[in-house]
Amino acid sequence: MCGIGLLWYMYGKMDLHEIGKILQSDINYTWILISAVFGILSHIVRALRWRIQLQVLDMRPSMHVLANAIFGMYAVNLLLPRVGEVWRCGYVAHDQKGSFVKVVGSMISERLTDTITVALLTVVLFFMQMGFIREFLAKYPALEESLMATATSPWLYVSVFLIAVLLFLLFKRKSENVYINKAKTTIRNLWHGVKSIFQMRNTSMFLFYTLLMWVLYFLELYVCFFAFPQTASLGIVCAYTCFILGSISMGLPVQGGLGPWHWTIIGALSLYGVGANAAGAFALVAHGIQMGVMIVLGIYAFFSISFAKRKEAAACETASEKR
């Protein structure tokens, strides 16, 4: 709801008639379709990367299952932010008859890898575009204050310290309590999944897939720049800047970054001289194609899962009749 409210607030200040004219006549939709292809490929690469981690846990789901898990995850996240992550772990764990908690652990380490990647890319952006970053934060002082408040808040570090102490005491002391022992087992399984990233036999492929996936994410946005005459000449550095700022905004618990992503992209493009209406149209289309791909792939995934379940049930029924 917050994202929709922010979207309504932003576009309420723009000339919607002018944005409509841009959407109808100024866009080369061939580039938008190419963007969709890069988006689909990025999801498939994510599935390939996750498979390497799951192999450490003695799980070998088919690519069909993994693709459905990733496609379905993004679709569920559009309805309930972050719930899709839990859903995909449950789906794969059920398919492999394995530990759900271990699969969750592998997902956490996978997402941690993405966080580190975004952090590294942000550092690169900072040194490439130091002047731009300062100008962007000056334009949105509330954002800078929020980031500084989070980074310097003592409660963040106190919370991390207290959690570490509680975990240490939990595992150091022996207990006959069933719930405490169950909690220990859950945490051990979770950690077993998390540390799968350090036990992979094919680390080089994991890193390659990580690099390829983020290149595809970037290309998904970059090619959209060529679809608009107002952004076609801005160059790769501008696209990279928008990509990093947009990636950071996607970390907010909002359906598909709806609202924060548009706000960030429009703000960045305005500093590169793009008018508000053109920037608003670009954000709508670039984000819309991402959401469209996720919705279509999600529908495919759930139909595919439903068909597989019916096929499995029919096979079981046939087997029981033969007996």
Side-chain angles (χ1 to χ4, degrees):
M1 292 301 292
C2 292
I4 295 174
L6 179 59
L7 208 63
W8 184 271
Y9 173 77
M10 284 188 301
Y11 283 90
K13 293 183 174 182
M14 299 180 191
D15 186 341
L16 297 182
H17 178 70
E18 181 63 27
I19 290 177
K21 286 173 62 178
I22 294 172
L23 296 178
Q24 289 175 11
S25 59
D26 290 356
I27 303 177
N28 183 341
Y29 280 98
T30 300
W31 290 108
I32 303 303
L33 292 176
I34 294 173
S35 172
V37 172
F38 284 132
I40 295 169
L41 291 175
S42 69
H43 301 330
I44 293 172
V45 172
R46 179 176 287 280
L48 287 167
R49 187 183 69 164
W50 194 27
R51 181 171 64 174
I52 296 175
Q53 285 180 270
L54 292 172
Q55 287 172 352
V56 178
L57 305 177
D58 293 323
M59 297 183 189
R60 288 170 173 77
S62 66
M63 266 306 297
H64 181 253
V65 168
L66 285 173
N68 282 342
I70 298 300
F71 297 163
M73 171 196 72
Y74 284 114
V76 173
N77 278 342
L78 290 179
L79 298 174
L80 298 167
R82 302 294 176 260
V83 175
E85 305 287 357
V86 179
W87 176 86
R88 68 152 156 157
C89 293
Y91 171 61
V92 170
H94 179 266
D95 177 80
Q96 294 293 291
K97 297 178 175 56
S99 168
F100 167 73
V101 178
K102 288 182 180 180
V103 178
V104 170
S106 71
M107 178 272 295
I108 290 174
S109 60
E110 184 213 26
R111 284 304 191 181
L112 183 59
T113 301
D114 291 336
T115 301
I116 293 172
T117 302
V118 171
L120 292 174
L121 293 174
T122 303
V123 170
V124 172
L125 173 65
F126 181 80
F127 285 105
M128 283 176 57
Q129 295 282 79
M130 194 175 296
F132 175 88
I133 296 298
R134 288 175 178 170
E135 191 177 352
F136 184 83
L137 292 176
K139 185 175 181 179
Y140 301 105
L143 176 62
E144 183 178 14
E145 291 172 7
S146 176
L147 292 173
M148 288 301 296
T150 302
T152 58
S153 172
W155 293 110
L156 174 64
Y157 304 102
V158 169
S159 299
V160 172
F161 175 75
L162 289 176
I163 291 172
V165 170
L166 287 172
L167 289 175
F168 175 77
L169 294 175
L170 179 66
F171 282 93
K172 188 176 180 181
R173 295 183 62 181
K174 292 184 178 180
S175 175
E176 300 298 327
N177 188 289
V178 175
Y179 297 104
I180 291 178
N181 289 329
K182 193 170 183 178
K184 286 183 179 181
T185 302
T186 301
I187 293 171
R188 284 195 187 98
N189 286 335
L190 186 65
W191 172 242
H192 188 66
V194 170
K195 70 178 183 179
S196 64
I197 200 168
F198 303 109
Q199 300 173 323
M200 297 179 299
R201 295 179 181 177
N202 212 345
T203 306
S204 58
M205 283 304 297
F206 182 87
L207 295 175
F208 170 73
Y209 285 141
T210 298
L211 176 62
L212 178 59
M213 185 178 72
W214 282 95
V215 168
L216 289 169
Y217 282 155
F218 170 69
L219 291 175
E220 184 181 11
L221 176 65
Y222 181 46
V223 297
C224 288
F225 275 68
F226 299 105
F228 293 79
Q230 298 90 341
T231 58
S233 61
L234 290 180
I236 195 169
V237 174
C238 172
Y240 180 74
T241 302
C242 291
F243 171 67
I244 297 303
L245 295 175
S247 297
I248 294 171
S249 69
M250 280 290 192
L252 298 173
V254 180
Q255 289 92 333
L258 189 68
W261 193 90
H262 297 76
W263 176 76
T264 303
I265 297 300
I266 292 170
L269 288 176
S270 68
L271 293 178
Y272 278 97
V274 179
N277 294 326
F282 176 88
L284 278 177
V285 173
H287 187 269
I289 191 61
Q290 295 177 33
M291 297 303 101
V293 166
M294 290 179 187
I295 291 170
V296 170
L297 292 180
I299 292 171
Y300 160 79
F302 289 115
F303 270 109
S304 176
I305 291 169
S306 177
F307 177 76
K309 285 182 177 178
R310 287 200 300 269
K311 188 176 179 181
E312 184 181 352
C316 291
E317 186 177 343
T318 302
S320 62
E321 287 176 356
K322 288 181 179 180
R323 291 174 187 174

